Amino acid sequence: MMNRNRFITLLLLIAIMAGCTVTSQESEKTNDEARNESEQNASEQKDMNLIGKVSLSQNSGRIGDEVTLTVESLKPDTPLKVVWVDMIGSYQIEDNYSFIGAAYEPVEKIVSEGTTDTSGQWKGTFSIPNGFGDDHDILIYQEDEVVAKANFFVETVFTMSPTSGPPGTEVIIKGEGLSWKMFGSLWHVNWDNKYTGMITAITTNGKAEAVFRATGKKGLHSITVESGASGFPYLSRSSSAINYIDTHYFTFEITDDKPITTESYVEEAPKAADGGIKMPTPKNKDGVTVTLNHSEGTVGEPVVLTASGLPKNEKVKFDWHTMVGTRVTAEGYGPEIFDLGEATTDDKGTVTYEFAIPDDLGGLPHLIDVKVGDEVYGQTYLRILPSLVSVSPSSGPVGTEFVITIKGSGWTEFDNALAVLYNNSYVGYICGFNTQGTVKVKLVATGDPGYQFIDIYPSIYKGQQTQPTYYLRPMLTYRDDHPGTGIPAIRAMFEITE
């Protein structure tokens, strides 16, 4: 099946892969170090002449709060701008498969404008804009020069909705003002003192939306939201040197014993953070077009490829590009090509070819070559989405062994690992690179009679950034802030019988 022409394929893979490059020395910097360096570089580029004094009606608050600002000792009768310094966050990925870490760059936002009076004074108001929490510089500009500055602290706030519902209710924890600094950028959810997953807001401007399902018996259940840069909640908050971070507590009431649904399913794939991986434009000869009736789907799903502008009445071959191997043994991994099939063009140089999506890796889209002889005339991409094949058996008494079979698992450092929750308790992670996208999760049924919830979330397998520690944790903010390709959650159910 496989054409192991590794050398040629490796050259092709290098040609199609792109990404941002960060040296290992740079990647080891913490968020705070990177932020301080960015601010220092930005400050060096500004003309500063701090002649003025700034007074604020408050030095801390929440996004949306209105703040009164008074400045004095400035240039008289001169326009001024009040500028709020924030950050823009992004995920750094190298060569489209290696996760480097999170990075932040400063950005300036004009929040108010005015003109000083004859004595060089001005008073005005502004609202704290949407963005990251923690410390922010407020800069006063006159004639393109910073003439005064102040500091403001933005609090991190979390809310939860709904607060009640039957088992399986989708619970959403929203956060705003999450920090870009190491100790306030990574948060975690515990459900009934069981670790459920992490909350990030790196590419969402400090705003987070974490999603999980309510599980357990009828009655009240405890939820805590706690920060922890080392990858888990930091619980001895009162003894921490970082004394401005609070623990957030919520209560959810399960109102019924019957769940919302007893079906197992895969959610619709979300959009990846930053718009996702940017694959290079397919290379087509002049006049050649290659299209698919859909650009993504699950293993076994039929797809129709149409190509035009090809040589007339010629045999066309279709090549499928993939990766094969493992990153945890000496054998390693590398690109491979296999034959997807062939067809013949008509007297207009057009060909239509239907095929089933191969049983292969998900994650990055697969390149498809359209070849006449040994020459590539056109290309296109097809992405394999995760699919839930079966839960077998789907019911039984406590102690029953059951297997969840998944296809379309990815292979890159940001989509190779998926995190498994059993009734909102993180029990471990799974990978499907070595088995070409197929994962069999073997679990043992535990709990009270009734339905047990198994939720499988995207995570980040590994990366170069050391802290915060994002790796191998359920990413509850996967719908908006997971890097790479946009991976859906998988929702499985098992019924424990009497």
Side-chain angles (χ1 to χ4, degrees):
M1 173 178 163
M2 293 288 180
N3 172 15
R4 296 182 175 270
N5 190 347
R6 287 183 178 272
F7 177 72
I8 294 175
T9 311
L10 182 60
L11 293 178
L12 289 171
L13 188 71
I14 292 172
I16 67 171
M17 284 187 168
C20 51
T21 301
V22 179
T23 67
S24 59
Q25 181 179 3
E26 288 173 331
S27 68
E28 291 173 357
K29 296 173 183 175
T30 66
N31 284 352
D32 289 351
E33 289 171 339
R35 175 253 184 178
N36 291 335
E37 183 177 288
S38 296
E39 287 188 334
Q40 181 179 354
N41 292 339
S43 297
E44 289 173 354
Q45 297 172 2
K46 295 184 179 73
D47 291 326
M48 287 196 177
N49 181 22
L50 302 180
I51 59 174
K53 178 182 178 183
V54 181
S55 299
L56 302 173
S57 58
Q58 60 194 74
N59 294 313
S60 66
R62 299 179 175 184
I63 288 171
D65 284 357
E66 187 172 274
V67 179
T68 300
L69 178 146
T70 303
V71 291
E72 54 187 346
S73 302
L74 301 185
K75 301 171 187 178
D77 301 315
T78 304
L80 63 81
K81 293 187 295 185
V82 180
V83 170
W84 178 269
V85 181
D86 206 345
M87 289 286 173
I88 296 177
S90 64
Y91 286 113
Q92 304 296 296
I93 294 173
E94 186 177 60
D95 294 334
N96 276 358
Y97 68 87
S98 181
F99 182 80
I100 306 301
Y104 299 89
E105 292 292 334
V107 60
E108 295 188 351
K109 304 174 182 179
I110 299 174
V111 292
S112 190
E113 296 182 89
T115 302
T116 54
D117 60 19
T118 55
S119 65
Q121 294 185 349
W122 180 82
K123 183 176 183 179
T125 61
F126 69 93
S127 295
I128 300 173
N130 287 323
F132 288 98
D134 221 295
D135 290 302
H136 292 265
D137 283 337
I138 300 172
L139 305 179
I140 310 299
Y141 277 89
Q142 282 188 307
E143 298 175 339
D144 295 325
E145 183 179 62
V146 178
V147 292
K149 64 183 297 187
N151 181 266
F152 194 95
F153 183 86
V154 177
E155 301 170 16
T156 301
V157 178
F158 288 98
T159 58
M160 187 187 80
S161 66
T163 57
S164 64
T169 297
E170 185 173 275
V171 182
I172 298 176
I173 292 179
K174 293 184 178 181
E176 64 177 20
L178 275 70
S179 179
W180 66 87
K181 294 183 178 180
M182 181 171 66
F183 292 106
S185 63
L186 183 58
W187 293 76
H188 306 274
V189 175
N190 279 359
W191 172 275
D192 284 344
N193 287 331
K194 297 177 291 187
Y195 182 70
T196 302
M198 69 179 187
I199 298 175
T200 62
I202 295 162
T203 65
T204 51
N205 203 28
K207 185 174 291 187
E209 189 166 304
V211 179
F212 55 92
R213 296 196 292 179
T215 67
K217 293 182 177 181
K218 185 176 180 179
L220 297 178
H221 296 264
S222 173
I223 301 100
T224 58
V225 180
E226 181 65 85
S227 71
S230 294
F232 285 108
Y234 179 78
L235 300 181
S236 57
R237 182 57 55 195
S238 62
S239 61
S240 173
I242 311 300
N243 56 13
Y244 57 84
I245 296 177
D246 297 321
T247 305
H248 302 259
Y249 300 93
F250 302 97
T251 300
F252 186 92
E253 183 181 7
I254 291 183
T255 56
D256 202 334
D257 292 324
K258 184 178 180 181
I260 286 178
T261 180
T262 60
E263 298 296 321
S264 297
Y265 62 95
V266 179
E267 291 185 346
E268 182 179 347
K271 293 182 179 179
D274 292 328
I277 290 295
K278 305 297 190 298
M279 302 298 289
T281 303
K283 295 180 180 179
N284 296 331
K285 288 182 176 293
D286 290 344
V288 174
T289 61
V290 182
T291 60
L292 300 173
N293 64 336
H294 45 263
S295 60
E296 58 184 23
T298 57
V299 169
E301 187 177 347
V303 176
V304 177
L305 181 151
T306 302
S308 60
L310 302 173
K312 301 174 183 178
N313 303 311
E314 290 282 353
K315 182 181 291 186
V316 178
K317 293 183 178 180
F318 306 98
D319 283 349
W320 176 268
H321 292 247
T322 190
M323 297 292 291
V324 173
T326 174
R327 56 169 53 86
V328 297
T329 66
E331 178 185 345
Y333 61 94
E336 296 257 1
I337 298 175
F338 70 82
D339 182 13
L340 193 59
E342 60 183 41
T344 303
T345 60
D346 60 18
D347 56 7
K348 295 181 180 179
T350 298
V351 66
T352 299
Y353 179 66
E354 181 173 334
F355 62 96
I357 294 179
D359 190 351
D360 202 358
L361 295 162
L364 289 179
H366 294 264
L367 183 68
I368 300 174
D369 289 333
V370 178
K371 298 170 60 178
V372 177
D374 292 329
E375 191 172 1
V376 176
Y377 274 75
Q379 296 177 325
T380 189
Y381 289 106
L382 176 63
R383 178 189 174 205
I384 297 179
L385 298 173
S387 56
L388 177 57
V389 178
S390 63
V391 180
S392 181
S394 59
S395 64
V398 168
T400 299
E401 292 184 353
F402 64 100
V403 176
I404 301 172
T405 303
I406 299 164
K407 289 188 178 293
S409 173
W411 68 274
T412 69
E413 290 182 355
F414 47 80
D415 63 16
N416 183 39
L418 300 173
V420 181
L421 302 184
Y422 190 99
N423 289 333
N424 277 342
S425 178
Y426 178 39
V427 295
Y429 71 96
I430 55 177
C431 299
F433 189 4
N434 186 56
T435 49
Q436 219 57 29
T438 298
V439 182
K440 293 183 180 293
V441 191
K442 187 175 182 179
L443 298 171
V444 176
T446 61
D448 297 319
Y451 284 93
Q452 317 303 310
F453 293 76
I454 302 95
D455 296 287
I456 302 175
Y457 288 100
S459 74
I460 301 171
Y461 178 61
K462 69 174 186 176
Q464 294 185 25
Q465 181 172 309
T466 55
Q467 279 196 318
T469 304
Y470 305 118
Y471 312 119
L472 302 178
R473 310 291 194 272
M475 203 161 189
L476 303 181
T477 44
Y478 66 97
R479 290 181 180 174
D480 301 305
D481 199 39
H482 185 270
T485 55
I487 303 172
I490 299 171
R491 312 294 193 183
M493 303 288 284
F494 182 89
E495 184 183 12
I496 290 182
T497 55
E498 295 286 353

